Each structure stands twice: as C-alpha cells, then as structure tokens.
C-alpha cells in the first residue's frame, strides 16, 4: 500500500491518527528503519503468527481511542516468545481502559537493540509549516525538555547542529563506560523525515504532528521503535487568486513608486480643518519633495496652496504614491476611481480588520484596489519615510540617505525608530509602516530591501508576519545575503495546535522563530534600544562571514567598568581574555603610568590617557592591532572623568586617534566606542558632538559597554549565518 493510500484509508475511516503499523509502513517507505512486526486481531492469532519473529518481543494495542498506549497499560515489552505475546494480549484486553476502547488490533514486533532513547518528531506551525524536532529522553522527553527545532526542509548541517545544541549531546558520544551511538544514523533518520527529499517534503501538509518516540540509537544504527502520526483536520483550502497588479515586475520596479515617487496624491486633507493628511502635506513640502503633489478632494479647488482634484482618476499625471487618510468606509470606492492611474496607496486610516467587524471591509478594500490596478500598504499605519524620494511622515527627519532599511507594522514605534535612531547616528535607506498588511506584506518589502543597492542591513518590527513560509523561504534563499534584525511584538500570542504529542507539547509559541534565527541571516532582539544598537553596528561594520567575531579587546578608563564590561562580553558569548606575550610584552614596555593594566581589558586611568595629550591611545591601539589582532575593539570613555583634570581635554585627540586607527587598520577589526555620560547637559552636549565626529569616521557610538557587547553578539551571529550563503543548501556547511 502506498503512502497516499495509507493516509486516504485513515481519512475515509474518519480517523485523525494512523495506526502504529500504518505509521511504521510510512517510515519504511522513506527508508527509516523500523522493527519487523505483524498485526494480529487477538491472542489466538498472536500465538499462531508471531513465531517467525525473533524474541524478545513487544506487544502494543492499536486503538483510535488510546493516544498514549503506555499510560493505558497497552504496551508490554521483553516477551520471550509468541506464547508470551498471546498471554500479554489476553491480559491487556481485560484492563478497563482497553476493554472500553475500540480495538483495531495488536502490534507484535521484535524489540529494537538496546541503545540511547531519542525522540524525532515534527509539528505543523500555523505560520511556517513543518518543523522538525529532535531530543533526548524517550518517555521523559517532556520532563527533560532537552530538544532542538528547525524549520523544514533541513540540511545535514542543520541536523548535526540540532544534536550539538542538546544539553545531553555528550551522551551520544558515550559517557561513564557507555558506548558512543551512531550519530550518522540518527542524522539520516532526521533527514529522511525532514530533509529536502524526506517524508515531510512529500507529505508534510497531511500531518499536524508526528512522533518517533523512542528512536533507539546504538553503535549499529537507529530504529524507530514507536511512531505516532496525527493527521491535520482537513486539507489546505484551494486558494486560487489572480496575480496582483505589478506581480510580473522586479522588486525594484514594483517599489520604485514608493521609494522614489514622481507624483504624490493626498486623500483626506481639508481646506478648512487641519487633518493628519494636512500635516503630511506640510511635512512633505518642508522635507523638500520635488515631484508633483495632488491633493484629492471632492469639492475644494485648492488645499494648502496646491490645486486639488476630485479623484485619483482625474489628476494631471498618473499617481505613483497616494497617502490615504479619509474615513474607512469611503476608501474602497476612492481607490476604485484610480482606474489604473495609481501604483501604490498607503492607507493610514484605521477601522478595518484591527477592529471587530472590520475584516470584511478590509477584504473589499483590497479587491477594489486590485481591480483598479492599485497595491495597498496598510491600512492602519502611519506612512513611508524615503530620503532618496523626498518622502516623510515624521517632522525633521534626516534628509541624508543611509544604509538601513526598516519595515514596521507599528506606525508610532516607527517614529521612535527614525527619531531616536537619528540621535544615535542611524541613517536610513527607507522605512515603511505596514499596519494590518492587508495586501503588501512584510515579505514583499523584505524582498525589495534585499535587492536594493542602497540598503546594507534590514530591520523588522513584526507583530504578524502574514506568510511565514514565504518569509522563511526568502531568508533561506540565495537572495538573503544581507543581515536582518527582528524585533517582535506580541510574541506570546501566536496560536498553537492543541498538542496531542510530545513534539506538539514542546513546540511552544516561539520555537519556530528560534529555528528561523538558527537557519537564516536574521537575529532577534527584545527591545527597541537593542534594535537600534544592532542596526547601528550593522551600519558601520563590514561583516566578515569568513571570520565571525569572537575575540574582543576592551580598552578604556575605569577599572570597575572594565570588569563589568568583560562580564557583559562573556555573557554575550564573546571572548575578552588576557593577551599572550606577543601583545603583552610590547604594551608593558611602554611603561605606562601606575594603575594601568594592559592584560585585556586594557584599563587606562585618566592620567594615562592624558599622556601625550591623548595620543598615547594611538600607540596602544597600534600594538593591539599589530600583535593581538582581535576581531573587535571596544573602546570606552567616561567623559565626566575628564572634567577638571588638567588644562588639556584629551578626548578631542582621542577622537583623532580613532579616526587615524580606522584609516591605518581598515577592516581588520570592528571598532566600537562607548561614550559614557553622567547625564549633565554639558557632558551630553559634548557627547552629541563627539558622536557626530565618530560617525563621520565610520565608528558607531554606544551609551554603555554592555550595549556594545549585545550588538557585537548580533554581528557574530549574523556573520556565522551569512557564512552559510557560500555553500549550497543541504551541503555540510561548517
């Protein structure tokens, strides 16, 4: 019987599960070893038919009413022969829980050889699709919780890393006299279930959960001793959709009207009152937008000194970008009047699917927009910021074109990202707010930024990724050669399937996202500050996929700060260890003032940094770069400590040292600077001035040392993931 026939038979019978015998037949069809077995109807059949099996034997009840056979007393192990198997069946059939159940038969099988009990399973994530799990523990897997997940399909390196992530990974290599197990055989099981040619690739849409528990792994191989397959309730609905407007265009062509609009229409500006659309019009003019602006109003001849037009279909030129701020109920018909003369409409108005009863109106909005040739951003958002196109929604945003592209499903948070990022030195290639993402989704804009030559790194604030599978496939694909930072809101809201297996119970709300970060050049952050810090580092650092960041030199004033900083780097998984003699000896030969430590961290009191009016720092850095050759240098200065200490403030010269170091040792090490302030207006102003100067030297400035550590940890993670882009999918990529 073929795999499809096995599944069809179960569905025809109204079952949500496969019998263990059916499940093992499915595994065998995909090359996963299972014990030899037979299915019998009763004890008498077992006595007559099981003699061909090699003892010891196991007997298991087969019933759609019994999900956990061991708990119901439906499993007997270590049976000596067919007669013992028959006796076990007779005894189990009399137990109350089994006697009351519908029995489909009894599985009699040879017991797997002794070995390490593992679980290999899969669960269907509602956003990302099939997800593979491996873990230690057998029946104790939920108690131990020692598991690793990846989104499917996995490659061989994914499988091996999953095993390495387990806290009990060393058990597979043999401990306290136990023989090591056949890791390659376990990897083979994982690939045959979740690999590019595995069971899930062929049939994953059929199953909600799969448990191979235990998989017995010994020195000889791996055998699936038990198998539980839980079918999805119904197949995926047929969802044929017409291609949206512009679907055949490249991402760059599709979004040119958004990031570089030649014409902008504004719906919702008033000739009498000041509405949000009026504010947008004024900010657009103040920002220096150089294209044509067409206010849309049914009756007013002029708004904000600009000629107004009754509809999108009546403007002098076709509209690249429309900003829509009118009442929700009026928007679908307003977009319908575009008649193919508007490319992208950003609906900032609320009153759609985010409120009870608004989902139907949102569907009508998209339908009418598509019929008129319009793609929709939003609704329920705030606007788009594009320095290259002269487009903005925040006031006084930087006009300078930067290298960071941002996608945000929150409008208000986007203002924080732009304005707080501005003061930290961030400059953007663009920022798009997406709100409900009724039509264009985060994945669409992500594809644009990956293609965009102006964008070097991408930041995402997400609450609902919409199409998780397309999102993952894009990040896992050949285009994903730029780093991505993800800040998620509402991470605990993601619904899960009711867990009927160990795998489902352990999947959790966030496992799919953690798997995505392990498999793609994307990294998570938990706060807005961490988001901005990570993007700041990516703005300035040229990532090194061939040499991921590991070793760090910490250099600055303040002994306690250095100790706490070293702790922060250690927690971030980065290495601040004392120098060897090749770097230590030339530093000691400099005979720096008492109180200076050159071990790493390099602790230099203010007195030391005043040597040669601050130029001594350059000599120290030359030694570090030439002899220690770290992956990153983190310099920290407590600005308040320099106040009133001598007639010369060495910080200005220290900034000159930083500039010179960047020129002298280009791209050898990531250089980050922490300028620590006491919060006084005087120090804060100097810090702002120093930050601008450091940015001009391509050096990111952070507020504290732990901020550098967290940002460099993100950089290291992304460098490792980007290093995998150079190997084909499924290859053994170290």
């Amino acid at each position: 019987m073929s795999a499809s026939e096995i599944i069809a038979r179960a569905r025809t019978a109204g079952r949500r599960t496969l019998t263990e015998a059916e499940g093992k037949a499915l595994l065998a069809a995909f090359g996963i070893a299972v014990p030899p077995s037979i299915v019998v109807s009763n004890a008498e059949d077992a006595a007559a038919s099981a003699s061909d099996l090699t003892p010891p034997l196991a007997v298991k009840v087969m019933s759609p009413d019994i999900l956990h056979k061991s708990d119901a007393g439906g499993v007997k192990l270590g049976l000596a022969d067919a007669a013992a198997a028959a006796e076990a069946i007779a005894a189990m059939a009399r137990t109350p829980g089994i006697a009351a159940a519908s029995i489909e038969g009894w599985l009699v099988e040879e017991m797997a050889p002794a070995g390490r009990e593992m679980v290999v399973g899969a669960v269907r994530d509602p956003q990302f699709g099939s997800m593979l799990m491996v873990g230690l523990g057998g029946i104790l897997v939920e108690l131990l919780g020692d598991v690793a997940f990846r989104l499917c399909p996995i490659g061989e390196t994914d499988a091996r890393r999953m095993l390495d992530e387990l806290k009990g990974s060393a058990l597979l290599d043999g401990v306290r006299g136990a023989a090591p197990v056949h890791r390659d055989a376990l990897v083979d099981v994982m690939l045959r279930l979740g690999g590019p040619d595995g069971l899930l690739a062929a049939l994953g849409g059929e199953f909600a959960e799969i448990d191979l528990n235990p998989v017995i792994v010994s020195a000889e191989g791996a055998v699936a001793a038990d198998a539980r397959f839980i079918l999805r309730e119904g197949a995926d609905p047929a969802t044929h959709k017409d291609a949206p407007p512009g679907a055949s265009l490249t991402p760059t062509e599709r979004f040119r009207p958004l990031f570089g609009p030649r014409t902008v229409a504004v719906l919702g500006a008033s000739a009498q009152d000041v509405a949000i659309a009026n504010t947008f019009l004024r900010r657009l003019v103040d920002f220096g937008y150089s294209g044509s602006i067409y206010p849309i109003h049914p009756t007013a001849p002029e708004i904000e000194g600009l000629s107004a037009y009754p509809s999108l279909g009546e403007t002098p030129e076709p509209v690249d970008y429309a900003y829509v701020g009118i009442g929700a109920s009026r928007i679908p018909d307003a977009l319908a009047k575009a008649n193919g003369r508007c490319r992208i409409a950003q609906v900032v108005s609320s009153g759609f699917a985010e409120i009870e009863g608004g989902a139907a109106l949102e569907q009508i909005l998209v339908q009418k927009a598509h019929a008129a040739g319009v793609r929709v951003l939003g609704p329920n958002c705030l606007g788009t910021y594009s320095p290259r196109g002269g487009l903005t929604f925040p006031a006084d945003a930087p006009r300078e074109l930067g290298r960071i592209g941002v996608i945000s499903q929150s409008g208000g948070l986007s203002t924080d990202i732009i304005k707080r990022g501005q003061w930290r030195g961030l400059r953007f290639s663009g920022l798009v707010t997406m709100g409900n993402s009724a039509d264009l989704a985060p994945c669409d804009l992500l594809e644009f930024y990956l293609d965009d030559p102006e964008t070097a790194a991408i930041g995402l604030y997400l609450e609902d990724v919409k199409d998780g599978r397309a999102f993952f496939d894009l990040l896992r694909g050949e285009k994903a050669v730029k780093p991505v930072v993800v800040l998620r809101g509402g991470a605990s809201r993601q619904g899960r399937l009711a867990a009927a297996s160990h795998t489902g119970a352990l999947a959790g709300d966030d496992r799919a996202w953690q798997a995505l970060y392990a498999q793609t050049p994307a990294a998570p952050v938990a706060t807005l500050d961490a988001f901005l810090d990570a993007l700041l580092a990516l703005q300035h650092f040229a990532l090194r996929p061939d040499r991921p960041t590991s070793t760090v030199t910490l250099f600055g004033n303040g002994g306690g700060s250095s100790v706490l900083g070293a702790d922060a780097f250690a927690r971030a998984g980065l290495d601040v260890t004392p120098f060897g003699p090749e770097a230590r000896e030339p530093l000691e030969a400099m005979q720096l003032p008492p109180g200076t430590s050159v071990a790493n961290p390099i602790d230099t009191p203010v007195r030391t940094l005043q040597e040669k009016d601050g130029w001594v720092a350059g000599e120290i850095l030359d030694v570090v770069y030439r002899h220690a050759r770290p992956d990153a240098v983190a310099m920290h200065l407590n600005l308040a400590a320099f106040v009133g200490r001598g007639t010369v403030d060495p910080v200005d010269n220290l900034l000159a040292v930083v500039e010179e170091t960047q020129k002298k040792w280009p791209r050898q090490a990531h250089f980050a600077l922490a300028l620590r302030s006491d919060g006084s207006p005087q120090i804060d102003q100097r810090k702002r001035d120093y930050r601008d100067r450091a940015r001009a030297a391509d050096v990111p400035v952070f507020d504290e040392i732990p901020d550098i550590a967290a940002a460099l940890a993100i950089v290291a993670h992304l460098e490792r993931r980007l290093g995998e882009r150079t190997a084909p999918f499924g290859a053994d990529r170290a």
Side-chain angles (χ1 to χ4, degrees), residues 70 85 129 206 301 337 392 538 552 683:
S70 297
E206 298 282 0
K337 294 177 181 178
T392 188
L538 295 172
V552 180
I683 298 297

Side-chain angles (χ1 to χ4, degrees), residues 538-562:
L538 295 172
Q539 173 177 275
H540 291 284
F541 296 159
L543 299 191
R544 299 186 305 257
D546 58 332
R547 182 166 62 93
T549 299
S550 177
T551 60
V552 180
T553 293
L554 184 58
F555 170 29
N557 65 311
S561 298
S562 295

Side-chain angles (χ1 to χ4, degrees), residues 39 50 133 243 261 577:
V39 176
M133 181 193 82
T577 54

Side-chain angles (χ1 to χ4, degrees), residues 60-72:
K60 304 174 186 178
V61 67
M62 295 167 53
S63 169
D65 301 329
I66 301 173
L67 199 58
H68 298 285
K69 296 184 289 291
S70 297
D71 295 345

Side-chain angles (χ1 to χ4, degrees), residues 272-285:
Q272 299 175 343
D273 302 320
V274 178
I276 187 174
N278 292 79
T279 301
F280 171 74
L281 265 174
R282 294 174 185 178
R283 289 179 179 174
L284 191 64
V285 172

